[in-house]
Amino acid sequence: MFAEGAAEIPIGMVLPFTGATGPYGPDMKKAADLIVKTINDAGGVLGGRKFHLYIEDSESSATASVTATHKLLDVNKVELVGGLWGSPEALAAKPLILAANKVEMVSSAADAITDGDNKGLVYRFQAKSSQWGPAGAKVMTGLNLKKVTIMAQQNPFVVAMIDSFKGEMARRGGTVTDVIMYNPNQASYRAEVEKAFGSEPDGVFCASLLTDFVAIAKEVYRGGYQAKIVGLGTGADADGAFLRSVPPEVAEGIHHLQPGPPLDSVAYKKFVKEMGAPDGTVFLFAGNTHDQVCVTALAMEHAKSSRAEVWAKSIPEVCNPPGEEVDDIVRALEMVRAGKKINFVGAGATVDFNERGDQLNRSFVHQVIRNGRNQIVDIVS
């Protein structure tokens, strides 16, 4: 055990505050700051050691994320690099984190993040891309859209969901007539929109991020196309940034989905209150950073070590069943210190993991834009 007042434990996060995914960063930071304070105010971990949380801006860029990760590892000497919203960012940072034998926790979807030899140090607090595809197909067919085209940005996150989307559409009696790929940051998407929508499909699955989806939606509206759009929340929501970027008539009727928290769970409702938000607020990613800090604290306490390569082995021990379910971090830490087997339940998800570090039991929130507001349609498993 460490004596009271022993050295702080540095942990870090790379979060988006600028660039295409910038709208997600502030709430992710707020959630992480709040739970660090809760843990520290309750006495910290390992006999009184407090967390020191360092946060860097990913700038929604793989290059900037590498620079930020270098700083966290080399200057701040962190045991965890968390956050990492965005697959290019997480993939670019991964080799650095593994070389340093530290833990990487991501809010990113590309299947490749947990591929290969990760030394048991990589954990995903998000659904894999290949799980997004079937969820999108379920939304499509649930809206009776059977003849569809795919319009998708060329990036690892999106590419990995296409085959699973096509497979689920086929299982549900649908047909994918074409796949139109495009590069991000194009000057115009008119040619791609004409190709995707001009064949008059029932619907178009737009796998896009915010900046390109804003341009695509405006182009669809100008063209007067009638095919229904089902997009990703990363494009058609982005914490309300899409609705602030287009006129109401452009957004009207667009459906979108993305992994979400268990909205009806006690843990999530408590989290919403802790964030100072009204009941029913949907925090799509803030719960992930809350859970990353909680899991880190519990694993360190279970392992009786702050060394990443040691405490990483304890993550399944405190997160997966069997064990007593507990969602309060202070009580959970007390139980671990008492030698009790726990099954921690997070705000963003149940935080159960498979042997690859992929999170299990994720659900997707399906929403539609009506009268300038997002309305929840249903939860897709």
Side-chain angles (χ1 to χ4, degrees):
M1 281 290 185
F2 294 86
E4 187 74 35
E8 291 181 323
I9 300 172
I11 59 175
M13 290 191 176
V14 180
L15 300 175
F17 297 102
T18 54
T21 58
Y24 293 124
D27 281 338
M28 296 177 79
K29 178 183 185 298
K30 181 178 180 180
D33 285 337
L34 284 172
I35 198 63
V36 165
K37 184 177 188 303
T38 296
I39 292 168
N40 287 346
D41 287 351
V45 298
L46 300 174
R49 298 182 70 186
K50 305 297 178 69
F51 281 139
H52 189 125
L53 176 61
Y54 296 91
I55 293 179
E56 296 291 328
D57 184 5
S58 73
E59 302 177 24
S60 305
S61 157
T63 301
S65 294
V66 166
T67 302
T69 299
H70 269 303
K71 182 172 183 289
L72 292 173
L73 293 171
D74 301 338
V75 178
N76 305 128
K77 307 296 184 183
V78 300
E79 296 296 326
L80 161 76
V81 180
L84 288 167
W85 197 109
S87 297
E89 293 92 312
L91 286 166
K94 176 179 165 180
L96 306 177
I97 299 166
L98 292 183
N101 289 316
K102 305 305 181 184
V103 171
E104 180 180 36
M105 293 182 177
V106 309
S107 293
S108 311
D111 288 22
I113 291 167
T114 50
D115 289 345
D117 180 9
N118 293 325
K119 304 180 181 180
L121 297 173
V122 178
Y123 282 84
R124 186 199 307 274
F125 288 68
Q126 177 61 287
K128 294 174 67 172
S129 295
S130 53
Q131 295 169 322
W132 288 59
K138 288 178 182 179
V139 171
M140 278 279 187
T141 54
L143 295 170
N144 201 33
L145 308 175
K146 296 296 184 71
K147 177 189 170 187
V148 307
T149 59
I150 299 173
M151 186 175 176
Q153 187 189 108
Q154 185 76 50
N155 74 47
F157 158 52
V158 168
V159 169
M161 72 178 70
I162 291 174
D163 284 346
S164 60
F165 176 88
K166 291 165 71 175
E168 187 67 24
M169 284 296 298
R171 280 188 289 275
R172 292 172 171 270
T175 303
V176 176
T177 58
D178 201 359
V179 178
I180 295 95
M181 304 298 299
Y182 64 87
N183 294 315
N185 303 315
Q186 292 182 190
S188 171
Y189 300 92
R190 177 169 297 179
E192 289 84 357
V193 166
E194 288 177 352
K195 188 174 181 184
F197 288 81
S199 60
E200 298 185 352
D202 299 331
V204 177
F205 183 54
C206 286
S208 311
L209 300 185
L210 175 64
T211 306
D212 45 298
F213 190 70
V214 166
I216 288 166
K218 289 178 178 177
E219 197 65 62
V220 171
Y221 180 77
R222 279 194 293 266
Y225 298 109
Q226 298 303 306
K228 191 171 291 294
I229 298 174
V230 175
L232 307 180
T234 51
D237 184 7
D239 270 7
F242 175 72
L243 290 173
R244 294 190 294 271
S245 303
V246 301
E249 60 270 20
V250 171
E252 183 68 19
I254 292 176
H255 290 254
H256 57 89
L257 76 154
Q258 59 191 315
L263 300 178
D264 293 327
S265 75
V266 172
Y268 180 72
K269 290 178 178 178
K270 285 170 57 178
F271 172 71
V272 170
K273 185 174 290 187
E274 290 166 3
M275 290 286 284
D279 290 345
T281 301
V282 180
F283 290 107
L284 291 162
F285 302 109
N288 296 353
T289 49
H290 167 281
D291 294 351
Q292 288 171 10
V293 175
C294 289
V295 169
T296 298
L298 292 168
M300 285 184 178
E301 200 67 66
H302 181 272
K304 297 181 172 57
S305 175
S306 62
R307 290 177 54 219
E309 65 267 39
V310 176
W311 63 261
K313 296 182 176 67
S314 286
I315 291 175
E317 296 298 319
V318 296
C319 290
N320 288 14
E324 182 177 340
E325 286 194 6
V326 55
D327 59 39
D328 181 270
I329 184 58
V330 175
R331 179 166 172 261
L333 286 166
E334 291 171 351
M335 293 171 69
V336 171
R337 292 184 193 115
K340 295 181 180 178
K341 177 70 175 78
I342 69 165
N343 174 15
F344 183 71
V345 177
T350 59
V351 294
D352 295 337
F353 299 95
N354 67 13
E355 67 282 355
R356 299 294 312 155
D358 287 318
Q359 202 167 75
L360 305 172
N361 309 316
R362 292 297 308 222
S363 56
F364 290 75
V365 180
H366 168 201
Q367 300 185 83
V368 65
I369 299 171
R370 299 288 186 207
N371 300 315
R373 297 172 61 88
N374 284 306
Q375 299 178 7
I376 294 176
V377 178
D378 58 9
I379 304 299
V380 180
S381 62

